Amino acid sequence: MSEGSKGSSLAFGQVVIGPPGSGKTTYCHGMQEFMGRIGRKVTVVNLDPANEAMPYQCGVDIAELITLPDVMENLKLGPNGGLIYCMEYLEANFDWLQEKLAAFRGHYYLFDCPGQVELYTHHEALKNVFAQLAKWNFRLAAVHLVDSHYCTDPGKFISVLCTSLSTMLHVELPHVNVLSKMDLIEQYGKLAFNLDYYTEVLDLSYLVDHLAADPFFRNYRRLNEKLVEVIEDYSLVSFVPLNVQDKESMRQVMQAVDKANGYSFGDQEHRSLEALMSAAVGADFHFTSTLAVQEKYVQSQDKALEEEVMDL
């Protein structure tokens, strides 16, 4: 994996990013197990210096290079400043990362990244790390996890869309946005629209109208309209729903990522021509998985309504 080497073999993987609590570590654990069962050799690379309890089998751990508690104690930095310092330190020690990754040549890589949003929207260190990996012939896709509970609050959902768009433009990688924890969405409250409205990011003017019904947001209608215009002008953001405990849901996300980083168009796993064409033709799996989750959500809502009627 020497820099600039044209003859070295390609390496495929995912950089798993997103806000704190969005389920990045859980996703890496679930995807490692899922891919292992279908025969892929998977290595998880922990790039989060604050990640102490890792449920997955970790191949490369940034804690061997630097940890957040040590930085905070020795440099008297807070958690945010400490994380930025850790990423800059990693950027300054590419040789350490290259040596560690070389031990897992031929594997599929899952990079578990920190949860500080600024690292993906403003700061350059992680972006430069990803760019360096590309020079080492890594073909990566960014998997941006967002907690599905934001769908229940139109204001927060617009904020999530802005964050997702900013992240896509800054990171500069093939991108798959994922709504995580879909198995818990019915616990967050009733959605204003059908689930496919949020996953496909359909006409957002309805969301602005819904927000305008709130006296607080009514004063900010013009601002919300402009934010929505920016999101729709780029027309880049959409989501794949994910329930880590559901094998079919994991398969749909894996298939979307494989198309994004080009893995599905290689000869790994001895894919047949038929499988290759089905991956290239379209995204029927996205619509199907959305319908499946939507059906479960509607059924849970109907059941709750029936229980309320029975109580009356």
Side-chain angles (χ1 to χ4, degrees):
M1 289 193 299
S2 60
E3 184 173 348
S5 174
K6 295 182 180 179
S8 58
S9 60
L10 295 178
F12 292 90
Q14 310 174 20
V15 293
V16 184
I17 62 180
S22 56
K24 296 183 293 298
T25 298
T26 302
Y27 172 86
C28 288
H29 184 208
M31 190 58 73
Q32 181 186 45
E33 289 189 347
F34 183 79
M35 288 184 171
R37 290 174 182 174
I38 64 172
R40 288 194 200 180
K41 295 187 294 184
V42 181
T43 296
V44 180
V45 181
N46 176 43
L47 295 184
D48 185 357
N51 201 350
E52 297 178 349
M54 293 173 288
Y56 49 71
Q57 184 178 353
C58 186
V60 180
D61 190 357
I62 193 176
E64 298 177 17
L65 177 70
I66 191 171
T67 65
L68 181 61
D70 288 343
V71 169
M72 293 174 62
E73 181 180 353
N74 296 325
L75 300 181
K76 308 304 178 185
L77 293 173
N80 290 340
L83 272 174
I84 290 176
Y85 180 88
C86 289
M87 293 302 101
E88 291 176 344
Y89 192 81
L90 175 64
E91 182 186 2
N93 289 273
F94 279 140
D95 54 342
W96 173 87
L97 182 62
Q98 184 176 20
E99 181 183 349
K100 291 293 183 180
L101 294 176
F104 299 95
R105 191 184 305 272
H107 285 220
Y108 187 98
Y109 298 85
L110 297 172
F111 293 87
D112 188 3
C113 299
Q116 188 177 357
V117 175
E118 291 84 356
L119 292 172
Y120 314 116
T121 59
H122 298 86
H123 202 260
E124 297 290 326
L126 261 182
K127 175 184 176 181
N128 293 337
V129 170
F130 300 155
Q132 184 61 49
L133 288 169
K135 293 179 181 178
W136 294 337
N137 278 333
F138 277 79
R139 296 298 178 261
L140 302 173
V143 179
H144 184 227
L145 298 181
V146 174
D147 197 317
S148 60
H149 86 266
Y150 290 117
C151 295
T152 60
D153 187 319
K156 291 180 179 179
F157 186 67
I158 290 178
S159 298
V160 162
L161 292 174
C162 292
T163 301
S164 299
L165 178 59
S166 179
T167 300
M168 294 175 76
L169 296 176
H170 183 74
V171 172
E172 297 181 351
L173 284 176
H175 213 91
V176 177
N177 291 303
V178 174
L179 281 177
S180 62
K181 306 179 185 178
M182 291 303 298
D183 52 316
L184 303 176
I185 191 170
E186 65 268 15
Q187 300 179 14
Y188 298 136
K190 187 173 177 59
L191 299 179
F193 305 99
N194 286 339
L195 187 62
D196 58 350
Y197 177 88
Y198 299 92
T199 57
E200 301 294 343
V201 189
L202 302 176
D203 189 350
L204 295 178
S205 62
Y206 292 104
L207 209 60
V208 175
D209 292 338
H210 188 75
L211 273 174
D214 189 316
F216 176 80
F217 286 105
R218 190 177 302 142
N219 298 327
Y220 301 97
R221 183 185 181 100
R222 185 64 175 164
L223 173 62
N224 290 327
E225 288 176 347
K226 290 300 180 181
L227 290 174
V228 163
E229 284 180 16
V230 170
I231 296 166
E232 292 185 329
D233 284 347
Y234 277 97
S235 190
L236 291 175
V237 184
S238 62
F239 295 95
V240 180
L242 170 66
N243 174 6
V244 173
Q245 299 178 359
D246 181 46
K247 293 179 181 178
E248 179 62 21
S249 179
M250 291 291 285
R251 186 185 70 82
Q252 312 302 349
V253 173
M254 184 188 72
Q255 188 173 358
V257 177
D258 283 351
K259 290 170 64 179
N261 64 16
Y263 184 90
S264 62
F265 303 105
D267 57 2
Q268 292 83 358
E269 299 174 10
H270 306 286
R271 282 177 166 75
S272 65
L273 178 62
E274 180 180 357
L276 179 64
M277 291 304 297
S278 66
V281 166
D284 292 339
F285 65 90
H286 188 172
F287 181 67
T288 304
S289 64
T290 302
L291 285 180
V293 176
Q294 173 67 23
E295 183 178 357
K296 291 180 181 178
Y297 176 79
V298 171
Q299 288 176 349
S300 65
Q301 292 293 320
D302 291 342
K303 184 177 179 181
L305 183 60
E306 290 176 4
E307 290 177 353
E308 289 180 5
V309 173
M310 291 297 294
D311 291 338
L312 293 176

